[in-house]
């Protein structure tokens, strides 16, 4: 008899624990219980969290005015360029351009290498493709959700733009496009510009520029109509 | 001689043994089942101040993790983006939506959005995001399929044994570096994963670090 009551009570307690505590992995809105808290939470600052140490409560500090991050220089033609220098790499303008002037550099200060283009493609896919599209034609995903006026980067206006002016647009934004300076370091901005130039070139190329061993891969009606009439180009099969 | 012990006490040792065994195993089973991050952490899904959906942004729009989490490749900390990053699109998309009120306020005034931190390792764990994502450990391994989550939930226990499972045998998890941010990627099979993983481990000279000071300083 006693055993029966005991077993009943035991099962009841088990059922109660399971019904209150639930199962592993079940969704919970409450913060996790730290069963042995030991030194899990220490009196130290972790990034991007609230903390009373500073009066404004930010654990991640904003820049002290007129300072920059600890940084590595970018090598341009064998010369180290630091982020605080008045150099085309950082400004997109000729050195010594007074504030407010727009003395943009014509071409990318970095040598165009396969590595730079690959980096540019990767950064373009991350930062630019959502709006401008994989082909840079302004047909990304966001226009379908209400983004208006996305620039088509094959627009002759942009094709003719200097590299420095594109750098300026990426750095400071333009019209509805915001600044991407925080997302792309100067070297990455130039890499993206080099990749965009490659994309533009891909739509402006003529049959003459196709390497001879790849001509056979062209569809039969790929002859260009505008830029350069294929006078002496070998006929496509 | 009268009874000092009534007759039922004859059964007492048996009751104690059976009862003790039952209660003891229930306590052990309960501790095993509940006193682990598999129970305490997995499934944690707090209500965030802004109902941001990773599903919409990553799966539907095809955005890369690094559009917002810009620091993940460079820093030990994978940052929450500044509100200005949201405003790159939301200055036009859902421009006046009340759900984005906090984001607009934050972008205008610099007041932080009080996001709730979900994947919170203990303060004595020095996990470095950049060294993992740059060597073929995907967001997926620790955070699960974030791209399928409307609301983020804690997907993995992130316990010490969880870290060690991979540190002891990285080849079973490591993936091509171009698939790190593709959270839908699956290895073709476990054997192929192991074979390709071994190649990557050799190529990148990945060490199977199990020393305490790897994670604890």
């Amino acid at each position: 008899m006693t055993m029966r009551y005991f077993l009943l009570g035991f099962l009841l307690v088990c059922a109660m624990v399971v019904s209150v505590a639930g199962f592993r992995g079940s969704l919970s809105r409450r913060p996790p219980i730290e069963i042995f808290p030991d030194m899990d939470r220490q009196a130290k600052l972790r990034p991007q969290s609230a903390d009373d140490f500073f009066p404004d409560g930010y654990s991640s500090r904003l820049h002290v005015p007129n300072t920059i991050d600890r940084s590595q220089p970018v090598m341009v033609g064998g010369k180290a360029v630091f982020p605080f220098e008045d150099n085309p790499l950082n400004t997109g303008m000729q050195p010594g351009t007074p504030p407010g002037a727009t003395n943009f550099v014509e071409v990318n200060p970095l040598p165009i290498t396969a590595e730079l283009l690959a980096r540019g493609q990767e950064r373009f896919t991350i930062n630019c493709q959502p709006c401008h599209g994989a082909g840079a034609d302004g047909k990304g995903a966001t226009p379908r959700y209400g983004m208006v006026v996305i620039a088509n980067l094959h627009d002759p206006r942009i094709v003719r733009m200097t590299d420095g002016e594109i750098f300026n647009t990426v750095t400071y934004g333009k019209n509805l496009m915001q600044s991407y300076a925080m997302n792309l370091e100067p070297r990455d901005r130039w890499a993206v510009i080099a990749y965009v130039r490659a994309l533009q070139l891909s739509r402006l190329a003529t049959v003459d520029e196709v390497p001879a061993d790849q001509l056979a891969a062209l569809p039969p009606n790929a002859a260009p109509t505008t830029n350069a009439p294929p006078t002496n180009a070998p006929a496509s099969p | 001689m009268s009874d000092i012990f009534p007759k039922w006490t004859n059964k007492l040792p048996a009751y104690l043994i059976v009862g003790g065994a039952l209660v003891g195993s229930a306590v052990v089973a309960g501790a095993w089942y509940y006193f682990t991050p598999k129970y305490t952490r997995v499934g944690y899904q707090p209500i965030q101040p802004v109902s941001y959906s990773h599903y919409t942004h990553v799966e539907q729009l095809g955005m890369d993790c690094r559009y917002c989490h810009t620091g993940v490749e460079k820093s030990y900390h994978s940052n929450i983006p500044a509100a200005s990053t949201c405003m790159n699109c939301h200055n036009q998309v859902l421009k006046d939506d009340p759900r984005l009120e906090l984001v607009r306020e934050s972008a205008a005034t610099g007041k932080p959005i009080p996001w709730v931190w979900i994947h919170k390792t203990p303060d004595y764990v020095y996990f470095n995001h950049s060294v993992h994502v740059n060597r073929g450990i995907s967001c997926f391994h620790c955070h699960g399929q974030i791209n399928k989550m409307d609301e983020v939930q804690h997907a993995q226990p992130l316990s010490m044994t969880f870290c060690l499972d991979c540190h002891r045998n990285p080849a079973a998890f490591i993936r091509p570096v171009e698939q790190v941010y593709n959270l839908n990627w699956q290895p073709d099979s476990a054997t192929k994963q192991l074979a390709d993983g071994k190649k990557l481990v050799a190529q990148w000279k990945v060490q199977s670090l199990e020393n305490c000071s790897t994670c604890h300083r």
Side-chain angles (χ1 to χ4, degrees), chain B:
Chain B
M1 196 172 142
S2 64
D3 288 345
I4 298 176
F5 297 104
K7 197 176 178 197
W8 64 267
T9 52
N10 288 343
K11 287 186 179 167
L12 198 62
Y15 282 167
L16 281 179
I17 287 166
V18 173
L22 266 180
V23 171
S25 34
V27 167
V28 169
W32 167 78
Y33 191 79
Y34 288 123
F35 289 17
T36 155
K38 285 177 192 162
Y39 168 74
T40 57
R41 300 210 72 95
V42 176
Y44 176 40
Q45 189 181 49
I47 297 175
Q48 298 287 1
V50 179
S51 57
Y52 173 83
S53 163
H54 280 83
Y55 175 76
T56 307
H57 289 83
V58 182
E59 192 71 2
Q60 245 171 284
L61 290 173
M63 285 168 68
D64 192 282
C65 311
R66 292 164 289 177
Y67 185 92
C68 301
H69 303 290
T70 49
V72 72
E73 295 167 303
K74 296 180 281 192
S75 164
Y76 80 97
H77 175 68
S78 175
N79 60 307
I80 302 286
S84 63
T85 303
C86 315
M87 295 309 277
N88 286 343
C89 296
H90 288 292
N91 61 356
Q92 299 163 62
V93 182
L94 302 177
K95 189 150 103 44
D96 303 307
D97 195 291
R99 288 170 294 176
L100 291 167
E101 190 53 53
L102 273 177
V103 178
R104 285 191 294 271
E105 189 198 345
S106 175
T109 65
K111 187 178 151 224
I113 303 169
W115 298 108
V116 183
W117 195 353
I118 302 174
H119 298 85
K120 206 172 188 179
T121 51
D123 281 357
Y124 46 76
V125 174
Y126 291 78
F127 178 81
N128 186 323
H129 276 90
S130 65
V131 80
H132 287 89
V133 295
N134 291 334
R135 282 293 178 262
I137 295 302
S138 170
C139 321
F140 165 81
H141 289 120
C142 301
H143 297 288
Q145 282 212 295
I146 291 271
N147 59 330
K148 302 275 174 136
M149 297 182 196
D150 260 327
E151 278 183 89
V152 176
Q153 66 173 83
H154 207 304
Q156 298 287 354
L158 306 189
S159 57
M160 188 157 130
T161 182
F162 175 81
C163 298
L164 282 172
D165 281 347
C166 187
H167 273 234
R168 287 181 177 132
N169 186 15
F173 299 91
I174 212 158
R175 57 168 74 177
V177 82
E178 59 275 11
Q179 301 297 349
V180 164
Y181 302 95
N182 176 5
L183 303 191
N184 288 326
W185 187 83
Q186 295 281 338
D188 295 334
S189 68
T191 42
K192 189 164 184 323
Q193 165 67 53
L194 218 54
D196 292 353
K198 278 200 181 110
K199 272 184 222 148
L200 292 174
V201 165
Q203 188 186 330
W204 291 330
K205 301 190 175 67
V206 172
Q207 300 173 51
S208 185
L209 292 174
E210 292 168 47
N211 195 299
C212 311
S213 69
T214 306
C215 309
H216 307 298
R217 315 268 154 82

Side-chain angles (χ1 to χ4, degrees), chain A residues 27-234:
Chain A
L27 293 185
S28 161
R29 296 294 193 190
R30 278 167 295 129
I33 315 152
E34 282 164 349
I35 294 165
F36 302 113
D38 298 337
M39 290 163 74
D40 281 5
R41 304 294 157 226
Q42 301 168 11
K44 70 174 184 182
L45 300 180
R46 289 185 67 159
Q48 295 194 307
S49 30
D51 196 280
D52 296 335
F53 185 78
F54 292 103
D56 59 10
Y58 301 173
S59 68
S60 296
R61 308 305 300 161
L62 300 171
H63 282 172
V64 175
N66 301 319
T67 63
I68 58 163
D69 293 341
R70 194 175 67 163
S71 50
Q72 293 287 325
V74 177
M75 300 304 287
V76 183
K79 185 178 161 290
V81 177
F82 284 90
F84 52 84
E85 284 181 61
D86 178 16
N87 184 291
L89 181 93
N90 296 323
T91 61
M93 299 189 206
Q94 301 293 349
T97 304
T102 54
N103 194 6
F104 296 121
V105 290
E106 287 286 332
V107 292
N108 207 316
L110 294 172
I112 310 301
T113 59
E115 186 274 325
L116 189 80
L117 283 175
R119 177 76 183 172
Q121 180 178 30
E122 186 190 50
R123 297 296 120 175
F124 181 91
T125 308
I126 296 169
N127 293 289
C128 316
Q129 180 183 310
C131 295
H132 290 293
D137 51 8
K139 292 180 184 146
T142 56
R144 282 181 274 130
Y145 294 83
M147 291 281 276
V148 283
V149 214
I150 303 289
N152 172 358
L153 303 183
H154 299 284
D155 189 331
R157 177 178 66 85
I158 295 171
V159 174
R160 285 194 211 105
M161 223 178 235
T162 58
D163 282 357
E165 190 172 355
I166 300 179
F167 182 88
N168 194 70
T169 303
V170 178
T171 310
Y172 298 106
K174 193 172 199 177
N175 301 331
L176 287 169
M177 175 175 151
Q178 312 267 308
S179 161
Y180 276 75
M182 298 306 289
N183 304 52
L184 293 162
E185 294 168 359
R187 188 178 185 278
D188 286 341
R189 275 171 248 167
W190 289 115
V192 165
I193 290 165
Y195 179 65
V196 167
R197 290 300 191 209
L199 287 178
Q200 289 173 342
L201 196 61
S202 73
R203 297 209 180 176
L204 297 169
T206 62
V207 165
D208 294 344
E209 292 169 76
V210 179
D213 57 335
Q214 285 173 29
L215 275 173
L218 289 181
N221 55 353
T225 49
T226 49
N227 309 48
T231 45
N232 53 357

